[in-house]
Amino acid sequence: MKRRALWSTALIAPLALYGCGSAAGPDSGGGGGDTLVVWDWKSGDATAESYIGQAKADFAEKHPDVEVEFVAQPFDQYYNLLGTAIQSGEGPDVMLFNGGGQLRDRTDALLPLEDYLAEDMERLAGWEAFTADGHVYAAPVTLQGHPIYYNKALYEAAGLDPEAPADTWDAFVADCERLTEATGADCFALGNKEGIGIQFFLSGIGPGVLTPAEYDAWIAGERDWTAPGVQRIFELWVEAEQSGLNNDGVNSTAMFNDEFAIFDAGEAAHVIGLMSDVGHWKDFGEFLGAENVGVMPAPLVNPEAAPSLPYDGGIGYGVAEWTEDPELAADLVRSLSSTKALEAFYADAGAIAADTTIDASGAGPATAAIVAELPTGKPALHVALSAETLELMGRLSQQLLSGSVTVEDALSQLAESDQAG
Amino acid sequence: MPTTATPLRTPVRARSGTPTPRRRVRSGRGAAGTSRSERLAPYLLVAPAVLIIGVFRLYPLALGVNFSFTGDGERNGQAVGLDNYTVLFDDPLFIASMRNVGLLVLLLPVAVAIPGLLATFIYLRVPGHRVYRSVYFFPAVLSPVIIGAIFNLLLAFDGPANALLGAVGLGPVDWLGDPDVAMYAVVGVHIWATFGMALVVFLAGFATLDASLIDAARVDGASLPKVVRHVIVPGLSRTIQFVVVTTMIGMLTSMFGLLYVMTGGGPEGSTYLPEYYIWFQQGQMGRPALASAASTVLFGVMLVVGLAQIAVLRRAGRED
């Protein structure tokens, strides 16, 4: 009897604490005095060595007595680790972020930087992805975007003009039929195991569907999920699968890096890739030859659309809200996005750097095409969505492919999630 | 309970009664001082264990339950009542993960029968049983990450498994991309990876089996299925129960690595398990309070499952 009472006490005890304290920990300060700690997933890469070296040298010139410690975290665990650090209120002073949802979800833990970075505003591009509620929370290092890459060698083998890819969706589908007939290659390399394929599709194909006004409204946050254009994009996602444009087993193919491997191997003629880091012009060029990698604008689905290159700030460094000396940390962020450092990053890591003063014309036709499009480019459609909506969209996109949800139903769920977030 | 309580109570009664002469002889000081230190001694001795359990088990548990009643993000630190639980049971992902727990329970007999059958064959000395004994155990030494990576390749849409199906004229199966198949594929791989341990336990159980019983059954003309049904299974009842309990715990608590590597919870969220959901909400979505609520629900489920298993074991123990 006594033992039972003891157990009940132990089990009921938590209720006495009902709803006090917080799961995310108190907001307390952290970080060392004359050491700045930086978290990222880049500094461990051999290709980023010269970039980090340049940035450190630049910072050492300004603050010779401050030590900078780079802690490279594994990328697939990065936001988990960062989340834990943020909850404990103790972590790095400066941290790397992907632009968009990942950053916007964590602005509580970040310092607004617009006052410190005023001088860099002109030189760097891609600020929108690091801006939330009118404040800038990180300085862009690379630009990330979603060009449609195509394999020029396959175009030639199919008797198509590799310099004049289709500019309307119907012509594009006709070209794909010829490509598959002549070379056996699929039209699109697509991997949606992680549920990211739909994000690339939305941003890659969307500019050919939405009118410029619809596009701008979407980015500005006035998203009408019931608009015919938006519905058309998701219908195309389903149609492309049903008419056999994609490789087999889309939902069990990982985008990183099986999808890109299919394109690398010449087994698909097109892929909606990235501009920086992986799955981009440099990777593809290594397998297919830089001269065989082309970049085409989104084929027109709606004649009123005016396709532009979808891109944003890719990755950027932000400053933790709990850092002891914000100005010092902001100075480090400036060094990490200095022209010299970014030049090294572009050259060694194959990233389209955020610095518009870097000359990138010597790296093949795909790079030239991307850089030429930068001035007219717009933020990518999916980057405007919250992490939660993106996660839901990933799941729904898999359901759309397997036919277990209709486009209308998927869009109404997305609209609900988007409005809640 | 009453049967075990009787022997325990006897010494307690002797102590609380009048002091025995033996004790008075051993103690030089007053009887009061002795009885106090003697009364405190057991508490002192169990104190380290109680402290460790209290500080590292019960206190965090209490904190976790407590946090499940607080909010996330802007409502961080505010008491929100049962909001997290409402969100939880409205979330199709969480419902799917609980449904998958049910599926695991349903698949438990399969997970126990496979090592049981194979161990029976080894015990009955099928040709090559020595080789099989080590081969069966081999996957148990591999980490889930490695196993997941291997099966990712094998079960890829254009992988060897589908090539084999194609060779015998069957259409390809999207093992990890079809929501109706993926969970079975992952559970299958989990069973393949872990049945070696249960097999060893079964073999140990067989070692205690009385061989003369089987011989007697054979002399009486019992067929193999009858020997298994009427001699081997009853003789191994304790072993089977042990394997059921450990396999259940293994399925509920150590599938994370495989899920992470093989499906990442997909496709369509069909392979979520509660622990994966907790990790996802805590780290990926930055919602620790919601994750605490999910943890609390998982704790409740494990408590029910654990108590049920203890009850079954206790009843079986009494039968012996």
Side-chain angles (χ1 to χ4, degrees), chain B residues 160-172:
Chain B
N162 278 338
L164 209 66
L165 282 182
V168 296
L170 293 171

Side-chain angles (χ1 to χ4, degrees), chain A residues 86-118:
Chain A
I86 288 173
Q87 279 150 36
S88 66
E90 274 174 43
D93 301 284
V94 173
M95 46 207 167
L96 190 59
F97 270 102
N98 289 100
Q102 293 289 12
L103 177 106
R104 293 202 184 102
D105 284 357
R106 294 175 174 82
T107 49
D108 283 353
L110 294 171
L111 208 66
L113 295 177
E114 55 271 16
D115 298 339
Y116 303 105
L117 301 176

Side-chain angles (χ1 to χ4, degrees), chain A residues 3 7 10-11 13-15 17-27 76-77 79-80 83-84 87 102 105-106 108 193 248-253 262 267 387-388 391 394-396 398-404, chain B residues 1 58 62-63 65-67 69-74 76-82 91-93 152 157 174 176-177 179 260-263 266-269 272 279-280 282-289 292 299 303:
Chain A
R3 225 179 72 184
W7 270 111
L11 288 175
L15 297 177
L17 293 163
Y18 167 85
C20 51
S22 77
D27 298 333
D76 52 356
Q77 285 295 322
Y79 288 105
N80 258 333
T84 314
Q87 279 150 36
Q102 293 289 12
D105 284 357
R106 294 175 174 82
D108 283 353
K193 184 175 182 173
D248 290 332
V250 167
N251 276 351
S252 57
T253 303
I262 292 171
E267 287 167 12
E388 231 156 81
E391 192 274 328
R395 226 173 335 126
L396 288 171
Q398 294 170 335
Q399 291 178 325
L400 283 169
L401 293 188
S402 71
S404 53
Chain B
M1 251 347 250
L58 295 180
L63 270 188
V65 174
N66 161 46
F67 287 153
F69 296 109
T70 67
D72 281 315
E74 282 170 14
N76 180 23
Q78 297 168 21
V80 298
L82 290 172
D91 187 347
L93 265 189
N152 262 348
F157 195 84
D174 200 355
L176 300 176
Y260 183 79
V261 176
M262 288 181 68
T263 65
E268 309 176 19
Y272 266 83
W279 170 83
F280 175 74
Q282 198 287 127
Q284 304 296 99
M285 290 288 145
R287 301 182 71 176
S292 301
F299 172 70
L303 203 66

Side-chain angles (χ1 to χ4, degrees), chain A residues 14 42 49 69 144 152 198 214 219 238 270 325 343 365:
Chain A
K42 282 281 167 202
E49 207 174 303
E69 189 191 333
Q144 191 58 287
K152 291 187 174 182
I198 183 71
E214 285 175 326
I219 299 298
V238 179
H270 307 87
D325 186 348
E343 227 161 26

Side-chain angles (χ1 to χ4, degrees), chain B residues 76-100:
Chain B
N76 180 23
Q78 297 168 21
V80 298
L82 290 172
D83 279 13
N84 286 326
Y85 292 90
T86 317
V87 172
L88 212 53
F89 286 102
D90 277 344
D91 187 347
L93 265 189
F94 185 72
I95 301 296
S97 75
M98 294 313 280
R99 205 179 296 132
N100 281 335

Side-chain angles (χ1 to χ4, degrees), chain A residues 153-175:
Chain A
L154 288 178
Y155 265 65
E156 232 160 285
L160 298 167
D161 181 1
E163 302 310 321
D167 50 10
T168 67
W169 180 259
D170 292 335
F172 177 77
V173 173
D175 281 2

